[in-house]
Amino acid sequence: MTTIPPEDFTQGEPAAEENRRPEGFRSPGLPVDPANTTGRLPEGDPQSIPDLAEVDCPDDLREHIEKLVAKYPDRDSKDIHRSAAIPALWAVQRRYGWCTPEGIRQAAAVMRVTPAYLESVASFYDLLRTEPAGKHQVLVCTNISCWMRGGDELLQSFCAATGADPEEAAHGGALSADGEILVSGFECLGACDLAPMASIDERYFGPLANEDAETVVGQLRGGDEVLPEKSLAARGLAGGGAESSDPRVTSGKGPNR
């Protein structure tokens, strides 16, 4: 990934006169959004559709994206499928840990869209990462229900257990000291009955105690099952004890896997 300086997103050129800060300008002290000050140079030409024959796309990733694309009926006269962009980017992120420029190019070649289009989608959504995001992701809910039951303190506990910066974790996410675990506060995960809770590698756990953070981090690094007794997946169905035959439930995988 190549960063682009903020001055008009140009390299080696001064900012346009109309974009310069006026003399005596004082910043109001608001947080700086990296998305507004830093850009990325994608691999290859972002405006052209890569030729799949010229892109080194792993066969299993190509086949998976093709299956995802087949679920969406929309296509234009050039056989371009845009609606599968989000699940295709999820597939890229699951394979590489984040939406790498080369991974985006691979998906674009399979979908017959431009890398620039997929880049625009990936940079819009918080859960699609456009820079390294660790091998594991811990998203701690800090919205009202979880906050009232200690969500902020739980986030601090995960930061202490991983060595992640608390300030960065509360504002977009921070990596552990070894770069293996991403810890981030999250506005709402829609599981108020589990408060305080967290999404750990896309699975819900709760209610969590502060001391659970150390246990979770050890389990993630050791490759062990995470808190099976506090997993939402281990709970019975709301209507009773009937078992589901849906493979998305029985295999423990979501629809995009």
Side-chain angles (χ1 to χ4, degrees), residues 208-232:
L208 298 177
N210 292 338
E211 53 268 23
D212 288 331
E214 196 75 43
T215 302
V216 168
V217 171
Q219 290 169 333
L220 290 176
R221 287 177 171 156
D224 301 323
E225 183 180 5
V226 174
L227 296 180
E229 71 282 1
K230 294 191 176 184
S231 169
L232 176 61

Side-chain angles (χ1 to χ4, degrees), residues 121 152 193:
V121 175
D152 285 351
D193 59 318

Side-chain angles (χ1 to χ4, degrees), residues 1 14 61 75 80 87 89 122 151 164 184 192 234 240 242 247:
M1 180 177 69
L61 179 60
R75 64 181 67 182
I80 294 176
L89 287 166
S184 178
C192 299

Side-chain angles (χ1 to χ4, degrees), residues 236-242:
L237 298 177

Side-chain angles (χ1 to χ4, degrees), residues 61 64-65 68 72 84-99 104 107 111 118 121-122 125-129 137 139 186 199 201-202 255-257:
L61 179 60
H64 183 49
I65 293 177
L68 293 172
Y72 295 85
I86 292 177
L89 287 166
W90 269 116
V92 169
Q93 182 160 288
R94 285 196 175 103
R95 178 163 189 108
Y96 299 113
W98 58 293
C99 293
I104 286 177
M111 296 177 62
L118 291 183
V121 175
Y125 292 99
D126 286 345
L127 293 180
L128 291 172
R129 305 284 175 175
Q137 287 81 44
L139 308 180
F186 206 83
S199 169
D201 287 345
E202 302 179 27
N256 293 328
R257 290 195 173 187

Side-chain angles (χ1 to χ4, degrees), residues 17-214:
E17 187 63 35
E18 61 270 19
N19 291 335
R20 293 184 184 277
R21 290 181 174 180
E23 185 176 353
F25 173 83
R26 295 185 64 183
S27 170
L30 298 175
V32 177
D33 185 353
N36 294 332
T37 58
T38 305
R40 302 197 319 155
L41 289 179
E43 296 287 330
D45 182 0
Q47 299 302 326
S48 63
I49 298 174
D51 187 342
L52 185 57
E54 299 176 358
V55 175
D56 186 18
C57 182
D59 290 340
D60 58 333
L61 179 60
R62 173 184 55 78
E63 293 172 0
H64 183 49
I65 293 177
E66 287 174 345
K67 289 180 180 178
L68 293 172
V69 167
K71 296 181 179 181
Y72 295 85
D74 70 308
R75 64 181 67 182
D76 61 18
S77 59
K78 297 181 180 179
D79 198 32
I80 294 176
H81 304 256
R82 294 182 181 272
S83 294
I86 292 177
L89 287 166
W90 269 116
V92 169
Q93 182 160 288
R94 285 196 175 103
R95 178 163 189 108
Y96 299 113
W98 58 293
C99 293
T100 66
E102 181 57 27
I104 286 177
R105 188 164 180 264
Q106 292 168 357
V110 177
M111 296 177 62
R112 293 193 52 74
V113 298
T114 64
Y117 172 71
L118 291 183
E119 181 86 18
S120 69
V121 175
S123 61
F124 181 82
Y125 292 99
D126 286 345
L127 293 180
L128 291 172
R129 305 284 175 175
T130 55
E131 56 186 38
K135 183 179 179 181
H136 303 285
Q137 287 81 44
V138 177
L139 308 180
V140 180
C141 181
T142 56
N143 213 319
I144 183 66
S145 297
C146 287
W147 173 75
M148 291 179 68
R149 293 180 59 85
D152 285 351
E153 291 77 11
L154 182 61
L155 177 60
Q156 293 287 331
S157 296
F158 273 105
C159 289
T162 59
D165 183 270
E167 184 67 19
E168 292 183 9
H171 296 88
L175 285 173
S176 59
D178 58 7
E180 287 289 304
I181 302 175
L182 175 77
V183 179
S184 178
F186 206 83
E187 269 307 295
C188 184
L189 288 164
C192 299
D193 59 318
L194 299 179
M197 57 81 62
S199 169
I200 302 170
D201 287 345
E202 302 179 27
R203 292 295 169 199
Y204 280 13
F205 297 85
L208 298 177
N210 292 338
E211 53 268 23
D212 288 331
E214 196 75 43

